[in-house]
Amino acid sequence: MADWVIARRGPGRDAIRQPFENLLAGYDSEHAQWVTAFPVDSIAPKLNTATRDHFLRLSRQARLPPPRYHLDAILAAVPRSSKLWLVDNQARWSGDTPLADIATFWSDDSTQRELTVIDPPDHLGPALAHAVARLAIHSPRASFLVDVARWQPFLTTLSSASPSAADLRLPSLRALGGDPSILNSIVCAPNDLAADINRRLDSWLLEAVDRHLKRYISHAEDPGHLVSFVAAADIREQMGPTWQGWIHRFRTEPGLLPRFFGLAVCAKDDEQAGLEGTVLAGRLLLKPLIRACAVALTVATTWQVIAPRDSRPGNLRRDINGTVRSGHTCAATFIDNEDMAIMALRHAWTTEFVLLPMQSAPTAMIMEANHSLSNTSDVIPLLGQSGVGLPPWGDPVGMLVHAWPAGHRWR
């Protein structure tokens, strides 16, 4: 029986106690029970305020370093800085965040980040300027030190004033400072740097979409109702292998994933709109990206002949006995600043079929959508039909637009 129990909590505690392992067997559980039996006696000793202030003053006089946990807190509060600028027509990236880790700008951790961009967007060139805009717009806790007067209009058009998306905010912009970042430097052609940035951000998006769709396919789980419709179990069972095939193609075929994601959030399919779609395809629009992928995957699983497309028009292709039909899966919020549900039937789509995973739609469109699912025209096959033997599809002007309201159940 002990009169006093002293728990040593200094450094190297485990090594010091190692010779006494047999004696201390079961100590942790017995000590936990003792603490509950004697709550007052088990309180850890604590310095009174006057004593603490005395030793704090002595430690400062001796210039002792602060505790490690204080240093960790200070380091966590210091922003991780990076820098981008042009040097002899080459783009140079450097700073605390290596280019290989650029997708961490989109992470949910509490780390503050800063990116200094010396040159204005027109000097960087369209590809790199839009890659920087994509990084900035979808970064939750990052500040951007730029020539505000020249960057703000460019970023506003692609974010808060975007004609194709809602709920995007203008990034935090500050005037340029003197940050001489020299770590992790890399120098390459501006277009090569833009491609590298976009490739790493696309990989981040694909992993996020893949995580959600795997839960939906395997367990019918849809956190946040991002998919927004319920597929029958037998369809979800077939979706798994199809999705894995798509994943393999997205990771091995350059240009396929950027095109698919860009058109999933932007209805316009031309070269200039392609840059806009690339910027919009980011962390803040993950929900419509998941929805567009889910609808396309469900239809592809049922028709069996639909796959992603890497060239214009559209981001989908449907092969029937060697005849290729072009398609477009799109979950954009707006088309030229008008609501997608209103504009969908009037928009000049460039493909022969369109998949629109609508959250809500006007009554007329809902009726059209339900009609197309249950009693299609001669040129649009029902789900489950291969389409073999059907007459050729008409030109894009006469195509039918499929729309699925929220809550629709696939059977």
Side-chain angles (χ1 to χ4, degrees), residues 285-320:
L285 293 187
L286 181 59
K287 181 175 181 178
L289 281 171
I290 290 174
R291 186 170 296 131
C293 288
V295 165
L297 180 62
T298 306
V299 176
T301 300
T302 308
W303 277 359
Q304 297 295 321
V305 285
I306 289 182
R309 180 185 180 96
D310 61 359
S311 59
R312 297 184 61 193
N315 57 359
L316 294 173
R317 55 181 289 155
R318 183 167 189 255
D319 299 331
I320 306 175

Side-chain angles (χ1 to χ4, degrees), residues 52-392:
R52 180 179 179 83
D53 290 343
H54 172 72
F55 284 107
L56 182 60
R57 184 177 65 257
L58 292 179
S59 66
R60 287 173 176 170
Q61 290 175 355
R63 296 186 177 181
L64 297 178
R68 182 66 197 180
Y69 62 88
H70 279 182
L71 289 175
D72 292 340
I74 294 172
L75 291 175
V78 176
R80 296 175 64 85
S81 299
S82 299
K83 188 176 182 180
L84 169 64
W85 74 106
L86 297 180
V87 181
D88 297 330
N89 295 322
Q90 295 288 297
R92 187 178 192 273
W93 173 280
S94 63
D96 297 319
T97 304
L99 185 61
D101 297 332
I102 196 169
T104 55
F105 273 76
W106 287 2
S107 67
D108 288 317
D109 61 30
S110 59
T111 304
Q112 296 291 324
R113 301 181 189 276
E114 287 183 350
L115 174 60
T116 299
V117 184
I118 301 298
D119 303 275
D122 54 327
H123 288 185
L124 294 181
L128 185 52
H130 281 79
V132 172
R134 182 188 189 190
L135 179 68
I137 290 169
H138 298 278
S139 295
R141 278 174 297 278
S143 298
F144 294 84
L145 283 67
V146 296
D147 183 339
V148 177
R150 302 176 75 174
W151 273 97
Q152 185 166 331
F154 177 72
L155 292 173
T156 299
T157 302
L158 294 168
S159 57
S160 57
S162 170
S164 302
D167 298 328
L168 295 180
R169 45 112 182 108
L170 181 69
S172 174
L173 305 179
R174 289 163 36 203
L176 282 169
D179 177 18
S181 297
I182 59 174
L183 302 175
N184 302 303
S185 65
I186 181 172
V187 178
C188 59
N191 285 351
D192 291 341
L193 180 59
D196 205 348
I197 292 173
N198 284 322
R199 182 170 59 252
R200 298 181 191 282
L201 297 182
D202 285 335
S203 296
W204 188 96
L205 281 178
L206 182 60
E207 291 176 5
V209 172
D210 183 39
R211 282 195 301 271
H212 194 95
L213 289 186
K214 279 182 177 177
R215 292 184 63 178
Y216 180 78
I217 293 169
S218 301
H219 308 292
E221 297 176 355
D222 185 20
H225 302 289
L226 304 189
V227 175
S228 79
F229 63 85
V230 181
D234 56 340
I235 292 182
R236 287 189 291 101
E237 184 178 354
Q238 300 174 55
M239 288 167 66
T242 303
W243 177 240
Q244 289 308 308
W246 287 20
I247 288 285
H248 177 73
R249 290 192 60 199
F250 286 146
R251 288 174 175 165
T252 57
E253 298 182 25
L256 184 63
L257 184 59
R259 178 167 189 81
F260 190 87
F261 277 167
L263 289 179
V265 291
C266 183
K268 293 171 286 186
D269 188 6
D270 56 63
E271 185 174 352
Q272 183 58 37
L275 290 174
E276 178 188 349
T278 299
V279 173
L280 297 179
R283 183 182 188 275
L284 296 182
L285 293 187
L286 181 59
K287 181 175 181 178
L289 281 171
I290 290 174
R291 186 170 296 131
C293 288
V295 165
L297 180 62
T298 306
V299 176
T301 300
T302 308
W303 277 359
Q304 297 295 321
V305 285
I306 289 182
R309 180 185 180 96
D310 61 359
S311 59
R312 297 184 61 193
N315 57 359
L316 294 173
R317 55 181 289 155
R318 183 167 189 255
D319 299 331
I320 306 175
N321 294 335
T323 302
V324 178
R325 322 291 192 195
S326 61
H328 188 164
T329 180
C330 185
T333 310
F334 301 124
I335 300 178
D336 292 332
N337 292 312
E338 292 196 52
D339 191 274
M340 163 70 90
I342 298 173
M343 283 289 293
L345 292 176
R346 290 188 281 138
H347 180 62
W349 300 94
T350 59
T351 58
E352 294 166 294
F353 68 94
V354 179
L355 307 179
L356 301 179
M358 297 290 191
Q359 272 294 81
S360 58
T363 303
M365 181 168 287
I366 293 176
M367 293 174 61
E368 181 71 17
N370 290 335
H371 175 74
S372 67
L373 284 170
S374 60
N375 183 22
T376 62
S377 66
D378 292 337
V379 297
I380 303 293
L382 287 167
L383 294 177
Q385 292 181 341
S386 65
V388 177
L390 293 174

